[in-house]
Amino acid sequence: SPAFGSLREGTPSNHPSVEARRDLYQEIFGALEDAGVLKDDLQLAWDFTTASRESNTSWLVHMRDEALAITGEDGPNYTITSVDSDLDPANIMFRIRGTMEMPLYLDQPEVGATLLFGDDGLPEPNPDQPTYDVEFELLIPNIAATTPVALLQHGHGLFGDDEQIEGEHFRTFCNTFGYAVFSTRLVGMADDSVWIIEQLVAGKVDGVTHMYDRLHQGFVNNLLVMRMMSRRMTADPVYGPLLDGSRRYYWGISQGGIQGGVTMSLSPDIDRGVLEVMGQPYNTLMNRSVDFTPFFAILGLQFPDSRAQQHVGGILQMLWDRVEPSGYTKYTFSDPFPGSPPGRRVLMRTA
C-alpha cells in the first residue's frame, strides 16, 4: 500500500498517521532485521501488544483475596429476609431469600459505577461505603429432611437474575438428586441491560467500560456466596442441619456457563462444576448467539459498517479479558491460582 511503502522506503507522505508512525516502524524494521527478515522483502508489517497474566487477572485475584480476608474464614454475614414453603410443596421445603454483606469496590452500588483503586494500583473498598447488601436466593428440597443435601451454586443466563433457579427443572432436579440450589446476580450483566442499551444508542462506547468495572464486583460476590453458604449458612440453627457444606458444586448455563469459566478458575471452595452452552471470548461468541442480535442492531445505528462493529468488539475485549474466561481458564488446571482446591473437575456440555 502507499502508506506502508512510504514507511518502508522513508519517502514523504502527506498523511499525518504515516508521519506519526515513523519512529515506531524503525523499531519494527530493526526487530525484523535482527530476526533475519529484510525490510525490502516486506509487503506489510505491524506490532501488537499481548496481555500478561498479571494484567488480566491481578485486579480480580486481589479483590477475591482481600474480600475473603475482610469477611473472615466463614465468609460474609447474611440476613434472611423471607422464607416460604409455597413455591412447590411437592419438591421444595423452603425458598429462602436474603442478603449478604459484601465489600464494595465501586463508587456506588448502582449501574454506571466505577472501580476504586488504591495507591498500589489495585481495586480497594469504597472508603465512604465499605460494604453493601447483595441479594441471594436459596431453595432447599424436601429430600433434605431425610439426608443433608449438597450445595449447588447456579450461574444465571444473559442479563438474568437469581430467580431463574425457581424453574420447574431446577425444583424437580434438586429434590430428585439431593441438592440445595442457590444463586446471586452477576452484577454487571444482570440488571444492566437497559443502561448498556442507552450507552450504545448514544454512541458512548466508552460508557460501556463501566459494565466491566461492575463485573469485577459481580464476580467477587459470586465467589464469596459459596463461602457464606458452605460455612455460615450450614451453621444456621434452623437451616444448617439440612445442608452438607462439604459438597460444593457449580452449574452455569449460557451466560452462567461462560461465567463459570472464571468461577471455576478462581473459587477456593468449588471443586466440581458443570458449564452448559459456554464459550469464549465474548467478542467472538457474540456473533454466534441470537441473544446479542438486538445489541448489534443498536450498535449498527452508530456503526453501520459491520467491520467497524468488529473493531468495537475487539477493543472492548481488552477490558472483557479481565472478567471473562479468556483471561482465566488457561489457569484452571495448569499453574492454577493460589487457593485452588485440589482435584478440581469441570464438565462442559456444548448443547
Side-chain angles (χ1 to χ4, degrees), residues 3 10 87 94 166 169-170 267:
L87 173 66
F94 297 116
E166 296 178 7
H169 57 292
F170 285 109
S267 175

Side-chain angles (χ1 to χ4, degrees), residues 11-72:
T11 54
S13 171
N14 57 8
H15 200 291
S17 72
V18 172
E19 296 304 317
R21 297 176 190 175
R22 291 203 184 274
D23 290 343
L24 168 64
Y25 266 82
Q26 289 307 307
E27 296 179 11
I28 294 175
F29 294 140
L32 288 170
E33 288 180 2
D34 291 343
V37 180
L38 299 180
K39 183 171 65 173
D40 291 344
D41 296 334
L42 294 173
Q43 293 192 37
L44 187 62
W46 67 95
D47 73 336
F48 58 92
T49 302
T50 60
S52 66
R53 172 172 174 159
E54 180 182 8
S55 175
N56 276 343
T57 68
S58 61
W59 293 3
L60 192 49
V61 171
H62 167 77
M63 293 169 69
R64 178 201 68 174
D65 294 343
E66 186 175 69
L68 285 168
I70 292 172
T71 58

Side-chain angles (χ1 to χ4, degrees), residues 7 33 107-108 144 156 163 175 189 205 230 305 337:
L7 289 166
E33 288 180 2
D107 62 349
Q108 61 176 12
H156 61 71
E163 294 182 0
N175 195 43
M189 293 190 73
V205 176
S230 61
D305 190 326
F337 294 101

Side-chain angles (χ1 to χ4, degrees), residues 198-219:
E198 290 174 350
Q199 306 307 302
L200 296 178
V201 168
K204 298 178 180 178
V205 176
D206 57 318
V208 181
T209 61
H210 295 287
M211 178 185 78
Y212 305 106
D213 283 8
R214 275 174 51 84
L215 276 167
H216 280 82
Q217 181 73 55
F219 273 111

Side-chain angles (χ1 to χ4, degrees), residues 75-89:
N77 292 313
Y78 69 89
T79 300
I80 293 176
T81 56
S82 69
V83 180
D84 67 75
S85 302
D86 57 5
L87 173 66
D88 181 0

Side-chain angles (χ1 to χ4, degrees), residues 53-290:
R53 172 172 174 159
E54 180 182 8
S55 175
N56 276 343
T57 68
S58 61
W59 293 3
L60 192 49
V61 171
H62 167 77
M63 293 169 69
R64 178 201 68 174
D65 294 343
E66 186 175 69
L68 285 168
I70 292 172
T71 58
E73 279 295 310
D74 294 334
N77 292 313
Y78 69 89
T79 300
I80 293 176
T81 56
S82 69
V83 180
D84 67 75
S85 302
D86 57 5
L87 173 66
D88 181 0
N91 290 292
I92 302 301
M93 184 187 308
F94 297 116
R95 173 175 55 184
I96 299 172
R97 291 192 174 107
T99 61
M100 59 179 181
E101 186 181 34
M102 282 293 301
L104 176 64
Y105 286 85
L106 303 167
D107 62 349
Q108 61 176 12
E110 293 78 24
V111 295
T114 301
L115 273 173
L116 300 177
F117 293 86
D119 294 337
D120 58 0
L122 294 172
E124 291 298 328
N126 187 327
D128 299 320
Q129 186 182 349
T131 64
Y132 82 124
D133 290 336
V134 176
E135 295 179 346
F136 68 85
E137 182 168 328
L138 166 67
L139 302 183
I140 301 178
N142 293 337
I143 195 174
T146 303
T147 305
V149 293
L151 295 173
L152 179 61
Q153 179 176 346
H154 177 247
H156 61 71
L158 184 65
F159 297 113
D161 57 38
D162 45 345
E163 294 182 0
Q164 287 186 353
I165 63 173
E166 296 178 7
E168 181 181 2
H169 57 292
F170 285 109
R171 304 195 308 265
T172 56
F173 173 84
C174 292
N175 195 43
T176 301
F177 298 103
Y179 293 94
V181 63
F182 63 92
S183 183
T184 188
R185 292 179 179 90
L186 180 62
V187 169
M189 293 190 73
D191 51 357
D192 305 69
S193 58
V194 173
W195 182 86
I196 293 170
I197 288 172
E198 290 174 350
Q199 306 307 302
L200 296 178
V201 168
K204 298 178 180 178
V205 176
D206 57 318
V208 181
T209 61
H210 295 287
M211 178 185 78
Y212 305 106
D213 283 8
R214 275 174 51 84
L215 276 167
H216 280 82
Q217 181 73 55
F219 273 111
V220 173
N221 298 348
N222 271 267
L223 290 168
L224 266 66
V225 69
M226 178 59 86
R227 177 62 61 93
M228 180 273 286
M229 284 288 176
S230 61
R231 300 196 183 186
R232 289 200 190 275
M233 187 64 75
T234 55
D236 187 279
V238 177
Y239 307 106
L242 304 172
L243 307 173
D244 181 357
S246 67
R247 293 184 290 156
R248 303 177 295 270
Y249 310 128
Y250 177 87
W251 182 13
I253 304 172
S254 190
Q255 178 183 286
I258 301 165
Q259 165 194 344
V262 181
T263 302
M264 292 305 301
S265 298
L266 284 180
S267 175
D269 300 308
I270 304 172
D271 58 8
R272 296 288 187 276
V274 176
L275 313 182
E276 290 202 50
V277 289
M278 80 309 294
Q280 66 181 76
Y282 260 103
N283 74 314
T284 297
L285 67 89
M286 285 191 303
N287 296 276
R288 292 159 169 77
S289 170
V290 294

Side-chain angles (χ1 to χ4, degrees), residues 324-343:
E324 74 118 282
S326 61
Y328 295 86
T329 51
K330 60 178 66 69
Y331 312 118
T332 307
F333 303 106
S334 176
D335 195 14
F337 294 101
S340 297

